[in-house]
Structures are given as C-alpha cells and as structure tokens.
C-alpha cells in the first residue's frame, strides 16, 4: 500500500485492482472515522465502479483527496499519463443537477489554481450520477488553462467516459509522488476565509502562500501587541496597512475570533462601518455554522446562530452610540475598526449628532469619540485600526489623519504602533504623522503592513496597475498590464451584451461574476443599469446564479459602497461619464438635475477616483471594462464624454473585444 497524506487511500492502479475491496473499504473507514452505513455503501459502489473502469489502465488512483480551501474531499482522482481526472460520484442519483456539476467544476478549478503539481496538467473532471440516463461522452475543447468542462456519465458508461478523458493527455507524465507532495496554496475569498477563521479560530490555516505568510506574520504581530498591552497594563492604538485585497479584514477577524469569549478580559469585537460587508459575512458565517452543526446531528436555528456571531462582529455605529449614552467603559478591552480611514471627521460627526441624536453642541470627530470611549478603561485597552490607502469614498470621511490628530490632541498617553507604509502618499497621513511623532510614543513595525494581495491569486499586483492607470502614469500602467494580462485577463468593450457574454464565457462552476458601477453613474440607465435601485448585498454575493438577485444574473450593478471589502471572481466595470479622460488628465463630474456638473471640491474629486479604484480591484480572476459609445442625440451622453476614456484604456494595452 502506498500512503499519501492528502488522501484517505492512494495506490498504483494495478495495486488497487488487485486489492480486496473490503480491505480498501476498511482503510477508508479508518482514515475518515466515518462508519455510517450510507457512507460505506457509497464507497463500496465507487470501489466496484473504478475497479471495472480501470482494469486495463496504468497510473494512480486516490480516494477522498483533500481540498482544504473548499473544506471538502474529492471522491476520487485518477492520474494517468499527463491527465488528472477528479471524479465526483453521486451514488443512486438519477439526474445531473446544476449544484453537482458546479461541484465537479470547483474541484477541477481548485486543483488547477491552487495545487502546484496541477498547474500545467490537463484536468478533465467527471460527474457520475450512477442511475442517470446515458449522456454523450464527447470531450469539448479545453479552456486556456487546460481545464475541460465536466463530463457527465452514469455507472454503465463510466469506463468509456474515462477512456475518452485519459486520451486527452498531451502533457508530460505526472509523477504521483511529486504530485501529491507538491504545495497546496489556496487563496480564499473574504467569505471563504472568514468561514475558516470562524471554524478554526486561527489565521494559520490560510498561511499557505506568500500572501498567507504575510497575513500570518501581521496577525501574529497584532496578537503579540495585544498580549503586551494586557501584560504591561498599557493602552495602544495599532495601525495595520495593506494593498487592496491583502487581508486587512482577515487580520481583524482573526483577532476577534480568537478573543470572542465574552467572559475573558481580552474579549474583542470587530467593528465596521461597511454595512454590506457586515451583513454578508454574518449571513455567510451563520449559514456555514448551521450546516456544520446539523452535519454533526446538533439542532441549530440560524437566527440563534446569527445572534452569537453578532456578538463579535457588528456595525461601528452601534458601538459609537453606546459610547455616547454610557458612562462606563465598554465590555471589550480590544476593539478592531475595519476601514478606519472612513471614520467621520468632526464636521460630519457633529452634523449627524445634531440631526439624529439631538446633541447640538457635539464637538468630537468619530476617532475622538471612539478613542475616548475605550480610554474609560482605567488600565489597558487596544484599538486596532485597519487602514486601506485611497479607500475614502464618501463625504465626511476623515482619512487616517483624523485618528492621528485625535491621539496627538487628547491621547498622548497611548502608545502608537504604525506600519511604516502609513507615511506613503496614498494614505495622506504624512503631515499628521510628522506632528504626532514629536509628541507621542510612536513605534514603526514593518510587520504591520500587508504587501501582497490575496484577492487576485492570478496576478498579485493588479492594484499597482490600477493605481498607475488612475494616476495617469501611462508607461508604468502599460508595463504592469503586460506583466499580468496573461494570467489575469482584462478586456475592453463598448457593448454591454458583449461584456456579459465575456463574463459568462469565463465563469465556471460556482465562480461569481458581477456588474459594478459607481454610485454617481447616473447615465447608464439607457443600458438598463440604474444605480439608484438598491441591491441586497446578501443576495448579490451569496444567492445561486439562477436567482435574479444574484450577481451572476448580470442584471443588477453593485456600487462602491456595496462591494468595498468584498470581491467577485470576474467583474464588468461599467464606466460612466462621471470620470472622463481628457488631454490633460481626468475630469470629475456629478449628475445633478438634468445635466453633468464639474466637480471642484477636492474631497469629492478624491472620493470619485477612489470609487473607481475600489471597483477596478474587486475581481479575483479578471475583468472586462465597458465604456459606453455615447449618443450624439443625448446631451447627457455625448460620445466625447466617453471616447477619450476608451482610447486611453486602449492605449494602455487593454485588448478590445
């Protein structure tokens, strides 16, 4: 018997065919700890079917192959020549469901994208519904990454289907030992990663590649600072920076999940002003926890589970309002503020307090209010600020300088731990840091910066391309595009139906695609995109593709407010005339009444640029940019509002469709 760590059973095909089926069954039951009658019957059927289908084959076979990112196992994987065949069995099933087909797709794509030994191999997934009607065994042409569409077969035709799949091999023969031992480096979505953190309470499970190692290092540094604050009875404010998609939110969730015990002195809470992010994560974690409990035979109601999740992740406004009405310290000694740069400045906070809370004389910024609430603890407290550069997208957002100024004017007894990257112009905190450094205990720690994006596993430096593009640095943007486009497809079109077709052609399995637009994109209505019609982010991000509210239905466009902090696999960025390219750079506009007006307010100009920065960095695998052609008969959609933007993007090297 050949043993491999990533599978419950692995053997040379000749060895497998010669082995006693009961002995194989025993190995599977022992490795899994699952001795239910249903599982044993399924394994017995799978063993018999594969023995029959592989009786004249050479290669290797693996049963119950681990797929960590998906939290699942592939029923069987066959390696023969240069072909990898992941097989999903549905014993007793009489039809091929969309969910089952997507599952077969997902296994193949997970191997291709995250398993090093599978990167260059041809992968032909097979779905076996044992009692289904016979299907055609024709193998379609592979996608560019050498992954084939799943073959659908029944028990009777499995051998013929396998023969056709394995005949596709043109690549070098795969060494099974090297293949099974090669690194698996998953790059999960924020939703997948949050599920891992909530179930395991550790970011270590995500530290399987360069981005994950960076994430683990930063999370460890934050944990050490929290422990030191408790030990030394100190108050600390910690600033964690990172490129878009690097995992700042995961660092915060890691701290919150590890310290979510409300009876502990180090009890932590994760706070965000991003309502869609909180809603989507809460619902996703609740669904996942209910499924996990029910699988263990434990009764679970989603409402009750959701309430337990809300104990450590909720909207910042609730915490802020408690600070206004309470006179005692909060129960939490550790508070994580996601997207801290979006905290309100003094004017915005005062206006809100006057209008909504009937506090006409309020004179604090949101950072001052939140720090003063935590400062009520007589001994120690920690505030962790997760900071995104160029992410302020709304009026009254103070940026990170609001926090630094609050510390300098009122909280100099707090220790300040910063990422050195906070001095970068992207964070607009240089002057505030300079002023603070002369008065406070400021410690720079390189571990507090996340430099590698986890969002795009195909090209880690998409954010660099987007930044250069928006900054008008054409040569730098073109160079960045050339380095990533072979792995991260980017396309350009002036026809929205073409863009939709491009997305559908690229989306496979349970991958998620979606349309995005800025909240100021008011003249996309002729293309059936109305940003004034609110979407439900829970349905947009979590519902199945056949649900009209799902992002995959490609009808509803999400705005920067609904997608910030979240992501899709494939996106269509719909570009309106609010941001226009001219001979001298970008011009920014807002639609008021019946016409466009030039934006002159510096803050609003910055918010609009940042809105496009958010939209252009939402896709993990690739994007298409739709720039409308305009209409010479419509004064609000003249071609000259759009064509220079299209020409600029095309000149960077983005290929047109």
């Amino acid at each position: 018997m050949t043993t491999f760590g990533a599978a419950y059973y692995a053997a040379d095909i000749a060895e497998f065919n010669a082995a006693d089926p009961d002995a194989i069954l025993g190995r599977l039951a022992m490795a899994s700890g699952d001795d239910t009658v249903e599982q044993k019957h399924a394994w017995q059927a799978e063993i018999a079917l594969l023995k029959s289908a592989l009786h004249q084959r050479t290669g290797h076979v693996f049963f119950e192959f681990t797929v960590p990112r998906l939290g699942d196992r592939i029923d069987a994987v066959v390696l023969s020549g240069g072909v990898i065949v992941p097989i999903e069995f549905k014993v007793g099933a009489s039809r091929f469901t969309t969910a089952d087909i997507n599952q077969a797709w997902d296994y193949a794509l997970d191997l291709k994208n995250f398993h090093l030994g599978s990167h260059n191999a041809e992968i032909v997934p097979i779905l076996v519904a044992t009692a289904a009607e016979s299907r055609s065994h024709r193998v379609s042409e592979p996608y560019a990454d050498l992954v084939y569409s799943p073959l659908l077969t029944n028990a009777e035709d499995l051998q013929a289907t396998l023969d056709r799949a394995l005949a596709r091999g043109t690549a070098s023969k795969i060494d099974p030992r090297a293949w099974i031992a090669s690194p698996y480096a998953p790059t999960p979505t924020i939703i997948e990663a949050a599920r891992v953190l909530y179930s395991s309470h550790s970011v270590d499970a995500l530290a399987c590649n360069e981005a994950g190692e960076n994430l683990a290092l930063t999370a460890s540094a934050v944990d050490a600072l929290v422990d030191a604050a408790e030990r030394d009875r100190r108050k600390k404010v910690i600033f964690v920076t990172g490129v878009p998609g690097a995992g700042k939110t995961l660092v915060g969730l890691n701290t919150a999940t590890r310290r979510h015990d409300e009876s502990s002195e180090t009890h932590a809470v994760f706070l965000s002003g991003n309502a869609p992010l909180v809603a989507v994560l809460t619902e996703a974690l609740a669904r996942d926890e209910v499924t996990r409990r029910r699988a263990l035979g434990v009764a679970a109601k989603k409402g009750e589970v959701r309430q337990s999740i809300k104990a450590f992740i909720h909207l910042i406004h609730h915490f802020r309002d408690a600070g206004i009405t309470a006179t005692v310290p909060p129960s939490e000694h550790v508070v994580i503020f996601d997207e801290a740069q979006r905290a309100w400045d003094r004017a915005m906070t005062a206006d809100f307090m006057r209008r909504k809370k009937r506090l006409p004389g309020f004179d604090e910024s949101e950072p001052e209010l939140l720090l003063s609430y935590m400062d009520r603890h007589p001994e120690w407290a920690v505030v962790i600020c997760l900071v995104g550069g160029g992410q302020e997208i709304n009026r009254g957002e103070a940026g990170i300088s609001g926090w630094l100024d609050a510390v300098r004017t009122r909280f100099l007894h707090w220790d300040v731990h910063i990422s050195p990257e906070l001095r970068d112009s992207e964070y607009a905190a240089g002057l505030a840091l300079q002023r603070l450094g002369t008065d406070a205990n400021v410690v720079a720690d390189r571990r507090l910066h996340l430099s590698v994006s986890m969002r795009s596993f195909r090209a880690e430096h998409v954010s660099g391309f987007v930044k250069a593009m928006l900054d008008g640095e054409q040569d730098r943007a073109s160079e960045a595009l050339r380095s990533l486009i072979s792995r991260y497809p980017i396309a350009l079109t002036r026809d929205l139906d073409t863009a939709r077709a491009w997305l559908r052609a690229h989306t496979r399995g349970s991958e998620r695609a979606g349309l995005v637009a800025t909240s100021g994109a008011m003249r996309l209505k002729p293309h059936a995109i109305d940003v004034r019609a609110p979407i439900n982010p829970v349905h947009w991000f979590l519902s199945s593709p056949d649900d009209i509210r799902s992002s995959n239905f490609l009808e509803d466009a999400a705005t920067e407010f609904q997608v910030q902090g979240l992501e899709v696999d494939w996106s269509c960025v719909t570009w309106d005339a609010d941001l226009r390219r001219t001979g001298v750079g970008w011009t920014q506009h807002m639609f008021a009444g019946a016409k466009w007006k030039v934006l002159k307010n510096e803050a609003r100009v910055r918010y609009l640029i940042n809105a496009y920065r958010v939209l252009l960095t939402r896709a993990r695998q690739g994007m298409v940019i739709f720039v409308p052609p305009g209409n010479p008969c419509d004064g609000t959609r003249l071609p000259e509002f759009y064509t220079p933007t299209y020409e600029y993007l095309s000149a960077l090297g983005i290929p047109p469709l």
Side-chain angles (χ1 to χ4, degrees):
M1 170 62 61
T2 309
T3 58
F4 297 86
Y8 288 167
Y9 174 92
D12 178 90
I13 288 177
E15 181 183 350
F16 164 70
N17 284 329
D20 183 343
D22 288 338
I24 299 173
L25 179 64
R27 298 281 301 192
L28 291 171
M30 183 180 300
S32 68
D34 188 344
D35 60 354
T36 60
V37 173
E38 294 81 5
Q39 182 59 75
K40 286 182 177 179
H41 284 170
W43 279 329
Q44 285 172 332
E46 293 166 17
I47 293 166
L49 285 170
L50 279 179
K51 276 180 170 288
S52 175
L54 295 172
H55 72 281
Q56 293 181 331
R57 282 283 169 188
T58 60
H60 265 70
V61 62
F62 306 85
F63 277 87
E64 302 293 338
F65 182 85
T66 305
V67 187
R69 186 183 72 96
L70 300 176
D72 209 343
R73 289 179 174 272
I74 306 173
D75 287 339
V77 178
V78 174
L79 294 189
S80 185
V83 183
I84 300 171
V85 182
I87 305 174
E88 176 61 21
F89 287 96
K90 299 299 178 184
V91 175
S94 59
R95 62 191 184 95
F96 303 99
T97 68
T98 299
D100 294 341
I101 295 170
N102 285 342
Q103 186 179 15
W105 259 125
D106 290 346
Y107 288 154
L109 294 171
D110 204 79
L111 288 174
K112 171 61 67 172
N113 292 327
F114 307 122
H115 184 242
L116 183 61
S118 304
H119 281 351
N120 299 317
E122 293 181 84
I123 303 179
V124 189
I126 293 178
L127 172 62
V128 185
T130 58
E133 292 184 4
S134 180
R135 286 287 188 104
S136 169
H137 305 139
R138 187 178 66 85
V139 182
S140 60
E141 289 301 307
Y143 283 76
D145 58 2
L146 298 181
V147 177
Y148 292 75
S149 298
L151 302 181
L152 312 182
T153 191
N154 57 19
E156 182 180 355
D157 296 332
L158 175 58
Q159 180 177 346
T161 306
L162 257 173
D163 288 345
R164 286 175 171 81
L166 295 174
R168 305 300 296 182
T170 59
S172 301
K173 184 177 180 180
I174 300 171
D175 179 348
R177 290 184 178 275
W179 181 80
I180 199 71
S182 65
Y184 177 84
T187 304
T189 67
I190 179 65
I191 295 171
E192 291 167 341
R195 286 167 170 156
V196 171
L197 289 174
Y198 187 68
S199 60
S200 67
H201 305 307
S202 173
V203 78
D204 296 341
L206 305 176
C208 300
N209 54 16
E210 182 184 357
E213 291 169 3
N214 190 195
L215 177 67
L217 179 66
T218 301
S220 177
V222 169
D223 272 342
L225 289 172
V226 173
D227 290 340
E230 180 187 18
R231 181 188 65 240
D232 302 334
R233 317 312 278 179
R234 299 287 297 175
K235 294 178 179 177
K236 297 179 182 290
V237 57
I238 303 167
F239 294 96
V240 176
T241 59
V243 301
K248 298 179 292 294
T249 298
L250 297 183
V251 169
L253 287 172
N254 178 67
T255 300
T257 53
R258 287 169 65 90
R259 303 171 186 272
H260 77 284
D261 184 356
E262 296 184 59
S263 64
S264 170
E265 188 182 22
T266 60
H267 172 51
V269 63
F270 177 92
L271 303 173
S272 175
N274 185 339
L277 175 70
V278 171
V280 171
L281 288 183
T282 300
E283 179 66 18
L285 294 179
R287 292 181 185 182
D288 193 54
E289 183 65 11
V290 167
T291 300
R292 183 164 42 249
R293 291 186 187 183
R294 289 176 178 172
L296 296 172
V298 178
K301 294 182 179 179
K302 190 165 68 173
E304 295 175 356
V305 172
R306 191 184 291 115
Q307 284 303 117
S308 67
I309 293 168
K310 287 181 177 179
F312 78 93
I313 173 172
H314 51 253
L315 288 171
I316 194 172
H317 314 312
H318 301 155
F319 188 82
R320 178 199 63 204
D321 293 349
I324 297 170
T325 58
T327 58
V328 297
S331 61
E332 301 88 359
H333 279 259
V334 182
V335 174
I336 305 106
F337 294 114
D338 195 26
E339 297 174 6
Q341 75 282 352
R342 297 189 62 191
W344 288 345
D345 60 21
R346 183 169 297 180
M348 186 70 177
T349 309
D351 179 64
F352 174 82
M353 294 300 175
R354 176 182 56 79
R355 290 184 298 104
K356 299 295 186 179
K357 300 297 180 181
R358 298 182 181 179
L359 297 173
F362 199 88
D363 191 34
E364 289 183 323
S365 67
E366 201 166 37
E368 287 178 290
L369 169 59
L370 296 168
L371 283 169
S372 65
Y373 189 24
M374 292 298 290
D375 198 47
R376 294 176 193 171
H377 284 292
E379 290 188 309
W380 75 280
V382 177
V383 172
I384 302 167
C385 294
L386 309 176
V387 185
Q391 299 285 298
E392 302 90 347
I393 57 176
N394 210 349
R395 180 175 66 89
E397 293 177 355
I400 208 60
S401 60
W403 289 89
L404 300 172
D405 288 339
V407 173
R408 181 177 59 86
T409 57
R410 293 184 54 189
F411 305 101
L412 286 175
H413 54 290
W414 284 59
D415 299 331
V416 182
H417 298 263
I418 69 166
S419 153
E421 297 297 322
L422 205 60
R423 296 188 174 93
D424 189 275
S425 60
E426 192 173 7
Y427 298 95
L431 182 58
L433 265 177
Q434 185 178 345
R435 291 195 299 258
L436 179 64
T438 61
D439 300 318
N441 177 27
V442 180
V443 180
D445 188 338
R446 292 193 177 279
R447 298 175 300 169
L448 299 179
H449 179 66
L450 294 159
S451 59
V452 182
S453 175
M454 291 184 67
R455 176 168 296 134
S456 176
F457 56 84
R458 289 192 170 182
E460 294 82 2
H461 303 294
V462 174
S463 60
F465 161 70
V466 170
K467 184 178 187 300
M469 181 179 74
L470 293 175
D471 288 349
E473 299 177 359
Q474 297 185 49
D475 291 344
R476 184 164 152 250
S478 295
E479 181 181 355
L481 180 65
R482 286 193 295 271
S483 71
L484 64 85
I485 198 166
S486 63
R487 299 183 64 234
Y488 185 94
I490 303 178
L492 185 63
T493 184
R494 310 206 74 174
D495 182 82
L496 189 54
D497 285 338
T498 300
R500 288 190 174 103
W502 189 91
L503 290 176
R504 292 186 177 111
H506 282 81
T507 305
R508 298 173 288 180
S510 61
E511 291 176 348
R512 191 160 287 273
L515 308 177
V516 294
T518 64
S519 55
M522 296 298 177
R523 295 308 296 139
L524 294 176
K525 283 185 66 179
H527 302 281
I529 294 177
D530 188 356
V531 295
R532 292 174 299 181
I535 68 165
N536 183 322
V538 169
H539 289 300
W540 201 84
F541 281 103
L542 299 180
S543 291
S544 62
D546 57 352
D547 188 322
I548 63 171
R549 300 166 297 179
S550 163
S551 68
N552 286 75
F553 217 75
L554 301 180
E555 283 194 0
D556 295 327
T559 71
E560 68 272 22
F561 300 114
Q562 293 150 344
V563 300
Q564 189 173 42
L566 294 160
E567 66 253 309
V568 291
D569 291 289
W570 304 90
S571 74
C572 172
V573 179
T574 56
W575 202 301
D576 202 8
D578 50 347
L579 184 63
R580 307 175 195 173
R581 192 67 185 174
T582 69
V584 295
W586 297 106
T587 61
Q588 296 79 22
H589 306 258
M590 66 174 292
F591 196 79
K595 62 181 180 180
W596 291 103
K597 294 183 178 180
V598 177
L599 280 177
K600 297 181 179 179
N601 180 280
E602 184 178 339
R604 289 195 170 191
V605 166
R606 184 173 71 251
Y607 298 151
L608 180 58
I609 291 289
N610 288 343
Y612 273 92
R613 190 191 317 277
V614 167
L615 299 185
L616 289 161
T617 55
R618 289 310 95 187
R620 286 161 52 84
Q621 300 197 51
M623 65 178 157
V624 57
I625 300 174
F626 163 63
V627 182
N631 185 337
C633 299
D634 183 346
T636 67
R637 297 191 298 124
L638 295 175
E640 54 262 39
F641 295 170
Y642 300 96
T643 298
T645 300
Y646 178 87
E647 292 175 344
Y648 170 72
L649 298 174
S650 179
L652 295 179
I654 302 176
L657 296 177

